Amino acid sequence: MTHRIDQTFADRKAKGQAAFVAYMMAGDPDRGTSQAFLNALPDAGVDIIELGIPFTDPMADGLVIENAGIRARAAGTTLTSVLEMATEFRKTNDTTPIIVMGYANPLHHMGYTKFAAAAKAAGVDGAIIVDLPPEEDSELRDAFAVHDLALIRLATPTTDAERLPRVVAGTKGFVYYVSMTGITGDSFAQAGSVKEQVARVREAANLPVVVGFGVKTPERAREVAKDADGVVVGTAIVKTLHEDGPESALALIRTLADATHGNAT
Amino acid sequence: MGNQTFPDENGRFGDFGGRYVAETLMPPILELEKAYEEAKADPAFQRELDYFLAHYVGRPSPLYFAERLTEHTGGAKIYFKRDELNHTGAHKINNCMGQLLLAKRMGKKRIIAETGAGQHGVATATVAARLGMECIVYMGAVDIVRQKPNVFRMRLLGAEVRAVHSGTATLKDAMNEALRDWVTNVGDTFYCIGTVAGPHPYPAMVRDFQAVIGREAKQQILDAEGRLPDAAVACIGGGSNAMGLFHEFVPNEEVRLIGVEAAGKGVKSGLHAASLTGGSPGILHGNRTYLLQDEHGQIADAHSISAGLDYPGIGPEHSYLHDIGRAEYVSATDDEALEAFQLCARLEGILPALEPSHAIPRTLELAKDLGPDGLIIMNMCGRGDKDVFTIADALGEHISEGTDG
């Protein structure tokens, strides 16, 4: 439901804060650990959850997320079990938006109509499908519209002024600004301001703009949060969870969330 | 038939094709499409391409009457379209010549490519050297082992070969990695895709650059036999040599178009690479097409003795021709290909690559079915020198691999 997303941004905006968006790979390293981690995210300061759907061929992801997907699939994670994790999460939380994130083929294989209904029933609020550009997403968008689910579009540094209106047209919830050309987990190419780019996208979309790709540290999160409506961290969280375990990953999330919210650390 | 109008403006061949890429790649793909359309309409571009095809690649390739194989079956006359005689030993260079001249026209100096058997990598490295461009080839670590001669060839040509260890470490993973490179270096990089797959405009563009095979073959068979063939046969991994042969004949409905997929250990074994025979429609590498996938929409591993056919998808135009019934798709196993390789070597004095070795058994069967009045063109799309180690291994013989493959 887009209202959870809208409410989240409205609440943070009222406090003069950006929202903290955390990505995790569903099912990594196993269902139980991953479910407990998911359930713990809101208390660690996460405002919006991106729940990764593992896929064999993640063309826009770096090794960290690709390997997380391999572990998740080895543990039996499927699109259906990702939705079951959302269902479980909703038993104790009805306010934190869940956006599922992944690639088109598992959804296409299930059928977009069936997927939309199942996602709605599971309490999912929207989806980011990396390999469905505006030219190819009308079928999924139509299926989502039936259930008031948000299909989040991505804008990138290569999305020029001519193309931007097409990219933001019909998007709901927020726009995800990919702050560099590259794959997830790359180092931030230009550590400079994203202010101009965010303003450009926000003006065209009239929606909140979150910034992702390349944000790894509280310092960078704080910097980006000054200009954006939300900050996404993925690879750093997935890597810490894998290498140091859930406690360390949640600790990292707390510092990232605090930095994004502008709290003293 | 009307196929000449495909793909449509959205890059669709019926329900297949399209542009399923990350937003970062949409602008460069649209830019490429525009540049290609302009080049296609520019006689100067075509003249330059024709010059290189004639004097560098060595076109036209002969259409050769395989007399002893024909006698062997006692059936239809079998002709080989000998694209294995091209510079670099396969049909791949037809496409590389076209794409890299286009890259030059677009002012791109950094070329990336994926390769399976290494033929496309070698062809790309070759043309990049000739045109003075930087070349990086992504290749699965598994394929690097089984195609050592080509790896060294690419290095000799000045290309950097980057091993891909992720996933199955074969062709599909090399393509993932090339796409990751492209999304990171969109500004200065031209991605030279080696087959009729990927996001639009690649399937159409690669087909157009390979269509010279069918254009020549049609004229050559008319000169030799005074009529069109009963069938055109080609092996299929992604499907570029097949599309190159088929395209010219698509409007001639009396010509059967037959694609031969790699059945590996047998389609029923599950260890195969036959996307049309044993797959279902899905989305991978920028296009909607038939894929090998599991019940959850995860891409399944392909299996073939031939690295060039070891791919879980197929070009979208083949999916379209399959669904409308214009082309027929069959398969051949590893064992059938190995047997055909040896037969062809001994009867015709031609070492076919393992890829076209898959087309041979179905061609021989068809020749018997058609009888002596029949006429078949089979695309001999690559030569087998690169495969001798794999073949020796499969036949249980040990030969030296030399010092550096």
Side-chain angles (χ1 to χ4, degrees):
Chain A
M1 289 183 291
T2 48
H3 88 244
R4 280 195 203 106
I5 301 172
D6 298 343
Q7 191 63 49
T8 299
F9 283 110
D11 289 351
R12 283 297 166 198
K13 196 174 178 185
K15 295 178 188 167
Q17 295 173 328
F20 180 62
V21 184
Y23 172 94
M24 62 173 281
M25 176 61 78
D28 172 37
D30 58 65
R31 175 80 173 262
T33 308
S34 190
Q35 184 76 56
F37 189 69
L38 170 64
N39 293 354
L41 292 179
D43 282 347
V46 174
D47 298 307
I48 297 174
I49 297 164
E50 285 182 9
L51 191 57
I53 305 164
F55 183 53
T56 37
D57 294 82
M59 302 172 306
D61 286 304
L63 260 186
V64 169
I65 290 179
E66 174 162 26
N67 286 336
I70 290 170
R71 290 190 297 271
R73 282 189 295 110
T77 310
T78 64
L79 181 54
T80 303
S81 73
V82 174
L83 296 180
E84 285 167 5
M85 285 180 63
T87 303
E88 190 63 29
F89 176 84
R90 282 278 170 256
K91 286 180 182 169
T92 55
N93 180 309
D94 195 37
T95 54
T96 307
I98 295 182
I99 313 292
V100 292
M101 183 166 186
Y103 295 81
N105 199 52
L107 281 63
H108 178 271
H109 197 72
M110 179 182 279
Y112 292 150
T113 305
K114 191 178 164 194
F115 170 75
K120 175 72 173 183
V124 165
D125 300 276
I128 300 172
I129 305 302
V130 181
D131 53 351
L132 283 186
E135 281 80 355
E136 303 292 353
D137 73 1
S138 62
E139 223 182 308
L140 184 61
R141 213 165 13 158
D142 291 348
F144 271 25
V146 173
H147 299 285
D148 190 28
L149 293 167
L151 186 54
I152 313 291
R153 292 249 183 89
L154 301 148
T156 75
T158 60
T159 311
D160 59 20
E162 191 189 333
R163 184 168 166 78
L164 187 56
R166 174 162 197 180
V167 168
V168 298
T171 191
K172 281 184 179 177
F174 60 92
V175 178
Y176 188 130
Y177 183 68
V178 176
S179 61
M180 60 181 198
T181 60
I183 54 177
T184 56
D186 278 358
S187 51
F188 212 84
Q190 290 151 327
S193 170
V194 291
K195 189 172 186 172
E196 252 174 59
Q197 299 297 340
V198 170
R200 171 175 89 99
V201 177
R202 196 190 279 133
E203 190 187 329
N206 201 23
L207 282 172
V209 177
V210 310
V211 173
F213 279 49
V215 184
K216 287 176 173 155
T217 61
E219 293 71 34
R220 182 61 190 164
R222 183 178 290 108
E223 198 179 358
V224 172
K226 285 178 193 156
D227 302 318
D229 302 296
V231 177
V232 190
V233 178
T235 298
I237 294 171
V238 172
K239 187 167 188 274
T240 305
L241 175 66
H242 174 59
E243 292 176 357
D244 305 319
E247 287 311 315
S248 300
L250 289 170
L252 171 68
I253 287 169
R254 278 183 210 102
T255 64
L256 289 164
D258 282 345
T260 301
H261 296 147
N263 300 335
T265 50
Chain B
M1 197 50 231
N3 184 70
Q4 306 297 347
T5 62
F6 282 96
D8 69 14
E9 60 183 352
N10 297 313
R12 293 264 167 184
F13 304 87
D15 285 340
F16 302 102
R19 290 177 282 227
Y20 295 88
V21 294
E23 171 62 22
T24 307
L25 289 181
M26 276 306 301
I29 278 169
L30 295 171
E31 178 198 0
L32 174 64
E33 182 183 346
K34 188 162 169 277
Y36 174 56
E37 289 304 321
E38 285 169 8
K40 204 160 66 167
D42 181 355
F45 178 79
Q46 198 56 52
R47 268 199 305 275
E48 190 177 18
L49 178 57
D50 288 346
Y51 171 84
F52 277 102
L53 288 178
H55 300 283
Y56 190 66
V57 175
R59 304 210 68 92
S61 68
L63 185 73
Y64 161 75
F65 175 40
E67 195 170 357
R68 293 197 67 211
L69 269 178
T70 299
E71 281 168 11
H72 177 76
T73 70
K77 289 176 93 168
I78 298 168
Y79 278 83
F80 286 158
K81 178 60 175 166
R82 297 203 56 191
D83 257 52
E84 102 278 16
L85 293 177
N86 293 338
H87 182 36
T88 71
H91 71 290
K92 292 291 186 186
I93 197 167
N94 303 327
N95 167 51
C96 294
M97 207 65 247
Q99 285 201 47
L100 266 56
L101 286 175
L102 181 60
K104 188 179 87 167
R105 189 184 160 98
M106 292 172 75
K108 308 269 186 186
K109 294 242 168 178
R110 182 177 181 271
I111 306 296
I112 58 170
E114 84 293 333
T115 198
Q119 292 302 99
H120 174 59
V122 167
T124 307
T126 297
V127 179
R130 173 59 183 82
L131 299 181
M133 294 162 156
E134 181 189 356
C135 181
I136 292 152
V137 179
Y138 290 94
M139 189 166 185
V142 168
D143 292 337
I144 284 181
V145 171
R146 59 181 169 177
Q147 301 289 345
K148 279 185 185 175
N150 274 343
V151 175
F152 189 53
R153 216 166 276 156
M154 284 184 268
R155 289 187 183 135
L156 288 173
L157 291 159
E160 180 190 342
V161 180
R162 292 191 185 165
V164 178
H165 297 277
S166 62
T168 56
T170 60
L171 179 55
K172 84 174 173 70
D173 308 285
M175 198 156 178
N176 290 339
E177 209 56 37
L179 283 163
R180 288 172 179 142
D181 181 310
W182 198 22
V183 88
T184 308
N185 303 291
V186 282
D188 65 343
T189 297
F190 186 101
Y191 181 15
C192 181
I193 293 184
T195 191
V196 286
H200 179 64
Y202 285 100
M205 178 170 70
V206 177
R207 172 200 70 195
D208 293 348
F209 287 139
Q210 292 293 1
V212 64
I213 299 172
R215 277 198 305 275
E216 288 174 5
K218 189 183 229 178
Q219 190 55 54
Q220 288 166 322
I221 197 77
L222 288 174
D223 291 345
E225 297 284 342
R227 72 171 180 100
L228 293 177
D230 298 300
V233 185
C235 65
I236 298 199
S240 70
N241 94 81
M243 218 44 248
L245 178 64
F246 292 175
H247 187 59
E248 182 69 19
F249 293 106
V250 167
N252 303 111
E253 298 215 36
E254 67 274 30
V255 180
R256 289 170 65 184
L257 306 176
I258 300 172
V260 185
E261 298 189 293
K265 306 281 183 202
V267 173
K268 282 180 187 159
S269 74
L271 300 173
H272 63 88
S275 319
L276 283 172
T277 312
S280 57
I283 295 165
L284 180 69
H285 292 153
N287 62 111
R288 185 178 185 278
T289 191
Y290 276 81
L291 300 172
L292 301 181
Q293 54 187 327
D294 71 10
E295 59 186 317
H296 304 294
Q298 301 291 343
I299 305 307
D301 296 354
H303 290 272
S304 173
I305 191 171
S306 149
L309 304 183
D310 200 349
Y311 181 70
I314 186 168
E317 193 165 7
H318 285 296
S319 293
Y320 172 70
L321 293 175
H322 171 267
D323 275 17
I324 65 167
R326 175 63 189 93
E328 306 157 47
Y329 295 88
V330 294
S331 63
T333 64
D334 290 350
D335 289 345
E336 288 180 301
L338 276 169
E339 196 181 317
F341 172 93
Q342 295 172 83
L343 187 69
C344 185
R346 287 174 192 171
L347 289 182
E348 294 293 349
I350 295 171
L351 296 184
L354 278 170
E355 290 79 21
S357 293
H358 285 72
I360 295 171
R362 298 293 84 84
T363 299
L364 300 181
E365 276 174 10
L366 181 64
K368 281 181 197 153
D369 289 349
L370 290 173
D373 294 337
L375 191 56
I376 302 171
I377 297 176
M378 192 202 99
N379 199 9
M380 182 59 74
C381 62
R383 68 176 188 222
D385 308 47
K386 71 185 172 58
D387 294 315
V388 293
F389 298 113
T390 305
I391 289 162
D393 198 40
L395 298 178
E397 296 193 24
H398 297 284
I399 55 176
S400 166
E401 294 190 18
T403 51
D404 195 358

